[in-house]
């Protein structure tokens, strides 16, 4: 099966594509989107930007299928992209109040080896309800980073999820800027074939003290044909390149967890996968150590009905041994081949 590369930095598109169970990787294009003579028509603009992003990433690979994206909203005769700050975001939401709008996503797909390419525009029409200043202020108190959305607010979560009263067209396009139903049809047209069966998505979990070992397990699972998932910062922790993060962990680990929303990230990752693999090694004088954070992640998997694999035997010298026994499905005893 040909490798799919998403030319995007969007965590929303990444999470949405993960639900397909198809192997892929992320490679942001980092192009200059403010080029001269940009199209003033929103449809032409998103398609041109998607094409540029796709082609920029295609230059870095010798094979694979590249997918480029770009999304904008269009309301009251204006093209709306990510607001620069909360003040601009607030002004935009109030401008859109009670108005109809369009949400466009340009898609451009290129198969590097065959040279085949295809472009398309996904469109979703919507209508806002009447929104007050007080409501916008209330939302921004919930989501102070609420500027990372093309439409100007979070359409899925927080109080802002009530701002839109009706949509027509691709809901996946509107919710995540990635109309998966359109993308699959485009992929089929250029010759993409589905794998015989979806890869099992396994979240690799464990203490950051074991970061280098976690990366080794992650790579081994890839070789075995699984789809391992792990926070990208773990790779930097393992090789020492995440120096600022490592310094913060050494001085105030709790603060780092909160500021980077690591606990929530692991919860969402576990929820989106099929199973969790807990890598438990010796630490603090305890054989096959499982700490509080890892125990919590096992709990996330358990309550979300995800299979729990434990790499090594259950630690005996912990007060929560019964809880671990109640949640772990399979103890691998160091043998990854036992994963099924």
């Amino acid at each position: 099966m040909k490798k799919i590369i998403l030319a995007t930095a969007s965590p929303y598109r990444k999470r949405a594509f993960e639900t397909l169970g198809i192997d892929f990787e992320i490679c942001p294009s980092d192009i200059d989107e403010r080029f001269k003579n940009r199209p003033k028509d929103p449809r032409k603009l998103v398609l041109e930007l998607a094409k540029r992003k796709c082609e920029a990433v295609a230059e870095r690979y010798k094979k694979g299928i590249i997918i480029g994206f770009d999304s904008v909203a269009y309301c009251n005769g204006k093209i709306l992209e990510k607001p620069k700050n909360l003040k601009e975001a607030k002004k935009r939401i109030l401008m859109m109040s009670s108005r109809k709008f369009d949400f466009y996503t340009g898609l451009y797909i290129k198969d590097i080896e065959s040279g085949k390419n295809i472009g398309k525009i996904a469109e979703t029409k919507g209508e806002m309800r009447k929104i007050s200043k007080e409501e916008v202020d209330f939302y921004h108190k919930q989501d102070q980073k609420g500027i990372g959305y093309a439409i100007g607010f979070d359409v899925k979560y927080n109080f802002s999820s009530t701002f839109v009263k009706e949509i027509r067209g691709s809901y996946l396009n509107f919710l995540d800027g990635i109309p998966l139903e359109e993308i699959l049809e485009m992929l089929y047209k250029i010759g993409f074939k589905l794998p015989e069966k979806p890869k099992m998505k396994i979240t690799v979990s464990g203490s950051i003290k074991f970061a280098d070992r976690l990366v080794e397990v992650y790579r081994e699972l890839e070789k075995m044909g699984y789809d391992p998932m792990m926070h990208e910062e773990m790779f930097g922790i393992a090789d020492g390149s995440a120096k600022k993060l490592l310094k913060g962990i050494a001085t105030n680990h709790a603060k780092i967890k909160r500021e980077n929303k690591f606990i929530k990230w692991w919860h969402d990752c576990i929820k989106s996968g099929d199973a969790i693999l807990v890598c438990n090694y010796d630490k603090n004088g305890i054989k096959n150590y499982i700490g509080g954070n890892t125990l919590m992640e096992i709990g996330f998997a358990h309550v979300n009905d995800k299979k729990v694999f434990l790499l090594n035997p259950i630690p005996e010298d912990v007060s929560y041994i019964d809880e671990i026994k109640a949640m772990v499905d399979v103890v691998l005893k160091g043998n990854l081949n036992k994963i099924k």
Side-chain angles (χ1 to χ4, degrees):
M1 187 184 74
K2 292 186 177 181
K3 185 81 170 184
I4 292 177
I5 300 100
L6 305 187
T8 181
S10 167
Y12 311 106
R13 292 189 180 117
K14 179 179 181 293
R15 284 199 293 267
F17 205 90
E18 283 174 345
T19 64
L20 298 181
I22 297 173
D23 194 25
F24 75 100
E25 63 184 66
I26 293 289
C27 182
S29 64
D30 300 322
I31 67 165
D32 181 5
E33 298 187 27
R34 297 291 176 178
F35 56 90
K36 292 183 179 180
N37 300 317
R38 288 197 347 155
K40 295 182 180 180
D41 181 296
R43 295 171 59 88
K44 292 180 180 179
L45 175 62
V46 292
L47 187 57
E48 177 64 25
L49 283 169
K51 181 179 179 182
R52 289 182 178 225
K53 292 175 181 180
C54 176
E55 292 181 338
V57 170
E59 292 179 357
R60 306 173 197 171
Y61 290 83
K62 293 182 178 180
K63 59 182 180 179
I65 297 174
I66 316 297
I67 308 178
F69 311 83
D70 192 75
S71 299
V72 301
Y74 187 74
C75 181
N76 197 29
K78 298 177 181 178
I79 293 176
L80 307 176
E81 299 176 84
K82 292 178 183 178
K84 297 176 182 177
N85 49 53
L86 288 180
K87 183 178 180 180
E88 183 180 322
K90 179 178 181 179
K91 183 178 179 181
R92 175 183 299 180
I93 295 169
L94 293 175
M95 179 275 291
M96 295 180 72
S97 176
S98 299
R99 283 193 165 101
K100 293 182 178 180
F101 65 87
D102 296 296
F103 190 84
Y104 300 106
T105 294
L107 303 168
Y108 197 86
I109 300 180
K110 182 174 184 176
D111 184 328
I112 297 174
E113 292 171 281
S114 70
K116 293 180 180 179
N117 57 71
I118 184 171
K120 195 169 185 179
I121 301 163
E123 177 180 354
T124 305
K125 293 183 176 293
E127 184 175 352
M128 304 279 282
R129 68 173 178 82
K130 185 175 178 59
I131 303 163
S132 68
K133 292 181 180 179
E134 291 75 18
E135 288 179 307
V136 179
D137 289 338
F138 183 80
Y139 160 54
H140 281 156
K141 288 175 182 177
Q142 290 179 316
D143 187 8
Q144 295 181 8
K145 296 181 180 180
I147 59 175
Y149 318 98
I151 198 168
F153 57 90
D154 189 344
V155 301
K156 292 177 70 175
Y157 304 108
N158 298 307
F159 189 79
S160 55
S161 64
T162 70
F163 290 171
V164 177
K165 69 177 184 179
E166 181 182 354
I167 63 168
R168 298 179 301 282
S170 173
Y171 70 94
L172 292 175
N173 172 45
F174 181 63
L175 293 179
D176 294 303
I178 181 167
L180 295 172
E181 72 286 355
E182 299 276 11
I183 291 170
L184 284 175
E185 289 183 359
M186 294 168 72
L187 286 170
Y188 296 150
K189 284 182 180 179
I190 63 170
F192 175 79
K193 296 183 183 299
L194 288 172
E196 291 184 7
K197 63 178 181 179
K199 290 185 175 183
M200 183 188 289
K201 295 185 288 185
I202 304 174
T203 302
V204 181
S205 171
S207 168
I208 62 168
K209 185 175 181 179
F210 310 142
D212 55 341
R213 295 187 182 185
L214 296 182
V215 171
E216 289 176 5
V217 170
Y218 180 99
R219 300 299 186 202
E220 189 61 31
L221 289 174
E222 281 187 319
K223 292 178 184 177
M224 296 172 70
Y226 295 108
D227 185 7
M229 301 185 293
M230 188 167 67
H231 199 291
E232 60 184 4
E233 293 289 7
M234 195 64 77
F235 297 92
I237 292 171
D239 64 21
S241 62
K243 295 180 180 178
K244 184 177 180 180
L245 185 62
L246 285 165
K247 183 178 179 180
I249 290 172
T251 55
N252 194 333
H253 198 177
K255 181 180 179 182
I256 291 297
K257 288 181 182 181
R258 178 181 288 274
E259 288 181 347
N260 291 277
K261 298 183 177 180
F262 284 147
I263 293 174
K264 183 179 185 303
W265 186 93
W266 284 103
H267 169 270
D268 293 345
C269 181
I270 292 166
K271 190 175 181 180
S272 71
D274 300 307
I276 180 174
L277 171 57
V278 178
C279 300
N280 55 324
Y281 304 99
D282 299 353
K283 178 184 174 183
N284 297 340
I286 299 175
K287 190 172 182 61
N288 305 328
Y289 177 84
I290 293 177
N293 212 77
T294 304
L295 179 66
M296 185 163 50
E297 289 163 7
I298 294 173
F300 292 158
H302 179 69
V303 299
N304 283 288
D305 297 318
K306 309 299 179 180
K307 202 162 188 177
V308 179
F309 296 107
L310 192 61
L311 183 60
N312 294 306
I314 295 172
E316 297 291 337
D317 299 327
V318 292
S319 60
Y320 38 85
I321 185 172
D322 288 339
E323 285 74 17
I324 297 174
K325 288 180 178 179
M327 295 186 289
V328 169
D329 296 297
V330 181
V331 178
L332 302 177
K333 296 182 179 179
N335 187 357
L336 294 178
N337 291 313
K338 291 184 178 179
I339 295 176
K340 292 180 181 179

